[in-house]
């Protein structure tokens, strides 16, 4: 009996007497926040769902200020939303990742969610198009396939010339410029997307020339034949490099096919896209 009682006395009282093991939620928020600064934005948002400590740490302003582009205050000034300036850095980053119109709705700007890279889209209505006021040649037609809900459609013309320009404070980096084009007019028949090739002609005889120049002397030219009817294609005009922070860069760009030996037609012009070249690689 005595021996049995003695042995029982030496047994642990159960789990409560063992030392407590540290748990994930015991990590200080300040330490978690420092780790999160090394992750990209989608990864931070995923970890914020783990527990209260990660959720609190993921809201730290210094994390999201580092993710915002260097020109974010310039972007905020351009937006037609007075409430943006009062947001915390996390909420501001989320807001800037949504496309926002400016310049009367003819342009949109947004940040890439993963990298924070600045992307811009310029509507066909913000471009100078030769013959756009003559309905025998060009028309603006409504469509749900454009972020601007309208595209310029060319029925037939001898001289194709589209010119545009943009002055903007880009963060340091390399940027690509694309024209978003489609051969054929798209509509719906019995609920299905169909392409009307009625006016498509002339694009297989001579290539289209795309060109860009910048205010600091950079220049790029590319040429290609247009094909792939019924599909939107991003045609790469060229790249340019921004080396000076907080400086304005003026970019001029054009699309031309001015060989007057034949007519051209059946072209939809949606917009011009400018984005970091690392993102543009996915569009080529």
């Amino acid at each position: 009996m005595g021996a049995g009682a003695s042995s029982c006395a030496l047994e642990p009282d159960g789990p409560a007497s063992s030392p407590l093991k540290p748990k994930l939620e015991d990590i200080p928020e300040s330490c978690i926040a420092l780790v999160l600064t090394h992750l990209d934005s989608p990864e931070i948002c995923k970890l914020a769902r783990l527990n209260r400590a990660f959720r609190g740490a993921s809201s730290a302003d210094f994390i999201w200020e580092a993710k915002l582009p260097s020109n974010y205050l310039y972007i905020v000034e351009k937006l037609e939303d007075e409430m943006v300036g009062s947001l915390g850095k996390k909420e501001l980053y989320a807001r800037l990742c949504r496309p926002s119109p400016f310049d009367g709705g003819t342009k949109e700007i947004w940040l890439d969610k993963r990298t924070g890279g600045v992307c811009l889209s310029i509507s066909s209505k913000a471009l100078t198009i030769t013959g756009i006021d003559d309905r025998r040649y060009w028309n603006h037609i409504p469509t749900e396939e454009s972020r601007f809900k309208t595209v310029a459609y060319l029925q037939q013309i001898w001289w194709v010339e589209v010119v545009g320009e943009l002055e903007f404070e880009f963060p340091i980096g390399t940027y690509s410029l694309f024209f978003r084009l489609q051969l054929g007019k798209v509509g719906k028949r019995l609920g299905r997307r169909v392409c009307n090739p009625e006016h498509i002609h002339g694009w297989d005889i001579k290539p289209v020339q795309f060109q860009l120049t910048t205010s600091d002397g950079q220049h790029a030219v590319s040429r290609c034949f247009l094909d792939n009817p019924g599909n939107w294609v991003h045609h790469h005009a060229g790249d340019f490099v921004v080396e000076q922070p907080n400086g304005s860069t003026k970019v001029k760009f054009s699309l031309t096919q001015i060989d007057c030996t034949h007519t051209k037609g059946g072209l939809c012009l949606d917009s011009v896209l400018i984005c970091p070249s690392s993102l543009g690689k996915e569009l080529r």
Side-chain angles (χ1 to χ4, degrees):
M1 289 284 297
S6 174
S7 63
C8 288
L10 296 174
E11 288 179 2
D13 295 332
S17 64
S18 61
L20 293 175
K21 294 182 179 180
K23 299 179 182 178
L24 197 60
E25 56 264 29
D26 295 329
I27 304 175
E29 282 190 13
S30 58
C31 295
I32 296 174
L34 286 173
V35 173
L36 296 182
T37 59
H38 298 282
L39 306 178
D40 63 31
S41 305
E43 291 172 331
I44 294 172
C45 293
K46 288 179 182 178
L47 289 176
R49 302 176 191 149
L50 285 177
N51 56 44
R52 184 179 301 174
F54 274 80
R55 186 164 57 252
S58 69
S59 298
D61 270 357
F62 75 88
I63 294 177
W64 295 98
E65 187 157 17
K67 305 297 180 188
L68 287 165
S70 60
N71 69 336
Y72 78 90
L73 292 176
Y74 171 80
I75 296 174
V76 168
E77 289 178 2
K78 280 198 166 289
L79 300 187
E80 300 166 3
D81 187 345
E82 297 179 356
M83 299 299 294
V84 172
S86 62
L87 297 175
K89 295 300 186 292
K90 180 181 179 179
E91 291 75 18
L92 178 59
Y93 189 93
R95 174 65 182 82
L96 294 182
C97 285
R98 301 201 306 267
S100 300
F102 67 102
D103 278 4
T106 61
K107 301 179 181 72
E108 283 193 352
I109 186 169
W110 67 95
L111 304 184
D112 177 68
K113 290 181 180 179
R114 184 177 60 83
T115 65
V118 176
C119 304
L120 291 151
S121 186
I122 304 166
S123 165
S124 60
K125 288 191 173 182
L127 306 177
T128 301
I129 303 174
T130 300
I132 191 63
D133 296 324
D134 192 328
R135 293 176 66 88
R136 293 175 300 172
Y137 306 132
W138 288 90
N139 289 289
H140 284 290
I141 59 174
T143 176
E144 292 299 314
E145 296 189 358
S146 168
R147 65 174 62 248
F148 299 103
K149 307 304 180 185
T150 182
V151 299
Y153 179 69
L154 172 64
Q155 295 187 115
Q156 178 174 291
I157 203 169
W158 292 88
W159 180 288
V160 177
E161 185 174 23
V162 179
V163 179
E165 66 176 54
L166 174 73
E167 187 166 358
F168 194 81
E169 289 186 13
F170 291 95
I172 291 174
T174 303
Y175 295 84
S176 297
L177 187 145
F178 299 87
F179 281 81
R180 186 172 187 255
L181 308 174
Q182 176 184 260
L183 289 180
K185 186 190 295 186
V186 170
K188 286 192 175 181
R189 184 180 302 156
L190 300 177
R192 298 182 62 185
R193 184 183 189 272
V194 293
C195 175
N196 182 353
E198 178 184 1
H199 299 123
I200 301 175
H201 69 283
W203 304 108
D204 56 347
I205 300 174
K206 290 289 181 68
V208 171
Q209 177 171 287
F210 303 96
Q211 189 169 195
L212 75 81
T213 58
T214 65
S215 51
D216 60 357
Q218 298 178 68
H219 183 240
V221 179
S222 64
R223 298 177 182 87
C224 73
F225 291 94
L226 303 188
D227 54 13
N228 203 4
N231 294 287
W232 289 105
V233 179
H234 286 87
H235 292 276
H236 183 223
D239 297 340
F240 62 96
V241 179
V242 176
E243 297 179 334
Q244 299 297 327
N246 307 317
S248 182
T249 301
K250 181 179 286 187
V251 185
K252 294 185 177 181
F253 44 88
S254 64
L255 174 163
T256 55
Q257 215 296 15
I258 54 178
D259 183 344
C260 292
T261 61
H262 64 284
T263 60
K264 286 74 68 173
L267 175 68
C268 284
L269 167 60
D270 173 31
S271 57
V272 169
L273 170 68
I274 300 176
C275 65
S277 293
S278 58
L279 302 176
K281 291 177 182 178
E282 302 172 4
L283 301 175
R284 301 185 192 180

